[in-house]
């Protein structure tokens, strides 16, 4: 007979090591405007797939794409002027 046992000890044994560090959380927070803009773009593209192409959907996608590009530009400009700890030079 085979015994069924839980693996909770093995799963929770590494819980402390699996948490994101504060540096990783800061990076996510810094990139969150880009992530949100990309989600909006994906939503607009998904909405446009359900029906025939029209001008309203094209305008919605174009505006969402412009928001993604602006968020990426802002992120690059913000990180270009900031020196990150542990970096060279």
């Amino acid at each position: 007979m085979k015994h069924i046992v839980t693996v909770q000890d093995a799963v929770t044994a590494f819980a402390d090591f699996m948490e994101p560090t504060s540096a990783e959380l800061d990076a996510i927070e810094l990139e969150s405007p880009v992530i949100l803009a990309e989600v909006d773009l994906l939503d607009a593209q998904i909405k446009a797939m359900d029906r025939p192409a029209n001008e309203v959907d094209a305008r919605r996608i174009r505006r969402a794409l412009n928001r993604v590009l602006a968020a990426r530009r802002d992120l690059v400009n913000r990180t270009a002027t900031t020196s990150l700890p542990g970096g060279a030079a």
Side-chain angles (χ1 to χ4, degrees), residues 4 8 47 50 59 62:
I4 299 174
Q8 184 173 359
K47 287 178 186 175
D50 289 342
R59 190 177 310 146
R62 190 170 50 246

Side-chain angles (χ1 to χ4, degrees), residues 5 9 11-13 24-25 32 43 46 61 64 72-73 76-77 82 87-88:
V5 296
D9 292 335
V11 172
T12 58
E24 291 170 336
L25 291 174
S32 66
D43 286 342
I46 290 171
I61 292 172
R72 287 181 182 171
R73 179 199 63 217
V76 168
N77 288 339
T82 306

